[in-house]
């Protein structure tokens, strides 16, 4: 059978390690997902595509006979993302938009809803669209899951639902919430993620949709597109090209991160072992670091002395869509009690990303 990521040996290695680790011997209920049909929205995104490829890898290595239906907005992009893998027949591409009602023939057992806006600049330039995609899109996926009477669903949320924490010295568990300014257009993402979570819980309570929430910390690794606009990719791109890493803030914000393979593993654990109406933080608790220190790490690790970190704060900083400075260390104990654990630290996250298809795009 055709391998899942022929053009990226690092990603292929990740997928095969994941398939090897998610087994009954390690407490993963693999039998539950055998012979099932899994619907994935946002299937050409980093995590959506890797979920689909991971399930395909299960099929090849473990004969799980899972069918994947990948909801995509662009057939051309989907064909580039999945390539020859589509020839195997276990992935069906479905062109559509979560902002419209979803119709798909046949039974669906599981739903993973990952379609979302992801760019901070987009949040401030298109706040209405950011909100509508989160709420209308999630409602359409929930209606679809309700109609199909699915066995499980995961909504991919974000650490941004926590806002600005009141206590910066403690790890943030799932019941800890900070302040979000509803009159800031940058809050279009954070507030709509909060409301989408509430919508999920409401569908679970009122209509019995067995939906769980994965609150993702910033996630990256093998398979990240070279032109990705997020901060972690900008740092790596500068280092690979030997350019200085320019910060437009003092870089004091602290966040925790998660490797893409580990996040895919977490999503599948939550799907099969998580409790409906519950949220789970997805992060590697050992990766908490400030933006400035992360930039310095990347300059040293990937830049090899060819670049340095420069602070240049522009007058129109609001247009960049940055959040206020904060310290947000997520607590993943609840997820780890399901049997999940992270495997890749921050430096290795960058090294594996740079060694994958990311660097080949230079």
């Amino acid at each position: 059978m055709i391998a899942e990521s022929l053009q990226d040996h690092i990603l292929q290695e990740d997928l095969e390690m994941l398939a090897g680790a998610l087994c009954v011997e390690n407490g993963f209920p693999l039998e539950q997902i055998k012979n099932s049909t899994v619907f994935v929205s946002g299937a050409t995104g980093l995590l959506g595509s890797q979920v689909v490829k991971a399930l395909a890898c299960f099929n090849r290595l473990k004969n799980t006979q899972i069918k994947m239906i990948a909801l995509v907005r662009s057939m051309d992009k989907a064909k580039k993302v999945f390539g020859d893998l589509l020839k195997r027949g276990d992935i069906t591409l479905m062109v559509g938009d979560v902002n419209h009602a979803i119709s798909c023939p046949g039974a669906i057992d599981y739903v993973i809803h990952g379609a979302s806006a992801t760019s901070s600049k987009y949040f401030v330039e298109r706040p209405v669209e950011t909100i509508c995609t989160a709420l209308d899109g999630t409602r359409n996926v929930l209606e679809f899951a309700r109609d199909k009477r699915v066995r499980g669903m995961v909504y991919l949320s974000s650490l941004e639902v926590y806002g600005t924490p009141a206590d910066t010295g403690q790890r943030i568990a799932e019941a800890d919430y900070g302040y979000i300014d509803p009159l800031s257009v940058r809050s279009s993402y954070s507030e709509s993620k909060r409301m989408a979570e509430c919508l999920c819980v409401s569908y679970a309570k009122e209509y019995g949709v067995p939906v769980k929430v994965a609150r993702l910390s910033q996630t990256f690794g093998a398979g990240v597109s070279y032109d990705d606009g997020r901060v972690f990719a900008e740092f790596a791109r500068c280092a690979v090209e030997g350019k200085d890493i320019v910060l437009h803030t003092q870089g004091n914000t602290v966040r925790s991160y998660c490797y893409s393979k580990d996040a895919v593993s977490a999503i599948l654990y939550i799907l099969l072992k998580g409790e409906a109406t519950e949220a789970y933080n997805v992060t590697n608790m050992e990766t908490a670091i400030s933006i400035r220190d992360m930039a310095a790490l990347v300059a040293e690790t990937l830049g090899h002395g060819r670049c340095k970190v420069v602070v240049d704060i522009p007058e129109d900083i609001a247009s960049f869509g940055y959040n206020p400075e904060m310290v947000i260390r997520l607590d993943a104990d609840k997820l780890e009690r399901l049997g999940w654990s992270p495997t890749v630290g921050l430096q290795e996250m960058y090294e594996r990303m740079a060694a994958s298809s990311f660097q080949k795009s230079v």
Side-chain angles (χ1 to χ4, degrees):
M1 293 180 74
I2 297 169
E4 296 72 34
S5 184
L6 291 172
Q7 304 304 315
D8 188 338
H9 73 282
I10 298 293
L11 178 55
Q12 186 63 45
E13 185 177 82
D14 281 350
L15 296 170
E16 293 182 2
M17 285 193 294
L18 184 63
L22 297 188
C23 59
V24 175
E25 292 77 9
N26 291 336
F28 183 76
L30 187 65
E31 293 297 324
Q32 288 186 33
I33 204 167
K34 281 187 174 180
N35 302 301
S36 66
T37 299
V38 181
F39 179 93
V40 181
S41 74
T44 56
L46 177 67
L47 288 181
S49 64
Q50 291 195 23
V51 165
V52 172
K53 290 178 180 179
L55 295 176
C57 194
F58 284 3
N59 285 345
R60 180 172 59 86
L61 298 181
K62 298 189 172 186
N63 193 32
T64 45
Q65 299 185 53
I66 303 166
K67 296 179 182 178
M68 289 77 71
I69 298 178
L71 182 67
V72 303
R73 288 191 298 171
S74 167
M75 181 62 76
D76 289 342
K77 181 178 180 181
K79 287 180 177 178
K80 289 179 181 178
V81 169
F82 296 108
D84 289 342
L85 181 57
L86 296 172
K87 295 177 182 178
R88 283 178 25 181
D90 48 356
I91 300 171
T92 299
L93 297 180
M94 175 179 162
V95 178
D97 189 328
V98 293
N99 289 302
H100 305 292
I102 301 168
S103 177
C104 177
I108 302 291
D109 298 295
Y110 297 102
V111 168
I112 297 170
H113 176 31
S116 175
T118 58
S119 165
S120 293
K121 194 169 184 180
Y122 184 88
F123 305 157
V124 295
E125 291 179 349
R126 307 290 292 274
V128 174
E129 288 79 4
T130 298
I131 293 169
C132 289
T133 296
L135 298 185
D136 296 339
T138 300
R139 182 180 183 184
N140 286 329
V141 175
L142 286 164
E143 283 288 345
F144 176 71
R146 176 190 175 193
D147 178 64
K148 295 295 184 180
R149 299 182 181 273
V150 299
R151 291 154 56 187
M153 173 178 167
V154 175
Y155 171 61
L156 303 192
S157 188
S158 166
L159 63 79
E160 291 212 19
V161 300
Y162 293 112
T164 303
D167 186 349
T168 60
Q170 301 295 321
R171 283 180 175 160
I172 297 170
E174 286 79 1
D176 301 328
Y177 298 97
Y179 173 72
I180 297 176
D181 179 4
L183 298 184
S184 165
V185 293
R186 177 58 179 79
S187 299
S188 58
Y189 182 73
S190 308
E191 289 277 37
S192 61
K193 281 291 187 182
R194 277 190 176 183
M195 192 65 232
E197 286 192 12
C198 188
L199 189 61
C200 287
V201 171
S202 300
Y203 264 79
K205 294 291 187 182
E206 189 170 345
Y207 302 122
V209 178
V211 59
K212 310 97 184 259
V213 175
R215 288 183 182 154
L216 297 157
S217 59
Q218 196 160 68
T219 300
F220 63 92
V224 169
S225 170
Y226 193 75
D227 59 0
D228 192 298
R230 286 169 287 185
V231 168
F232 63 80
E234 176 65 22
F235 287 179
R237 195 160 46 245
C238 288
V240 167
E241 295 177 3
K243 298 177 181 178
D244 289 344
I245 297 175
V246 180
L247 301 183
H248 296 303
T249 70
Q250 292 296 335
N252 295 325
T253 288
V254 174
R255 293 194 188 99
S256 50
Y257 298 84
C258 193
Y259 188 59
S260 48
K261 172 176 72 71
D262 291 338
V264 170
S265 171
I267 291 165
L268 295 176
Y269 262 95
I270 294 167
L271 179 68
L272 299 180
K273 298 190 71 174
E275 294 290 331
T277 76
E278 293 291 321
Y280 298 85
N281 288 337
V282 179
T283 194
N284 182 334
M285 292 187 283
E286 302 302 316
T287 63
I289 191 172
S290 72
I291 296 294
R292 187 161 190 160
D293 286 346
M294 187 168 74
L297 172 69
V298 175
E300 179 181 352
T301 302
L302 301 186
H304 306 295
R306 296 178 299 158
C307 62
K308 60 183 182 295
V309 179
V310 177
V311 176
D312 180 17
I313 301 177
E315 293 183 4
D316 63 338
I317 189 170
S319 67
F320 285 79
Y322 299 138
N323 265 329
E325 287 189 348
M326 67 184 75
V327 177
I328 184 161
R329 297 182 175 93
L330 295 187
D331 186 334
D333 282 347
K334 184 176 177 181
L335 174 60
E336 292 190 1
R337 286 195 293 272
L338 297 181
W340 176 88
S341 59
T343 62
V344 179
L346 188 63
Q347 181 170 328
E348 189 180 357
M349 287 167 64
Y350 269 106
E351 290 170 345
R352 292 186 71 78
M353 183 176 78
S356 77
S357 58
F358 184 86
Q359 191 164 11
K360 294 175 185 175
S361 303
V362 178

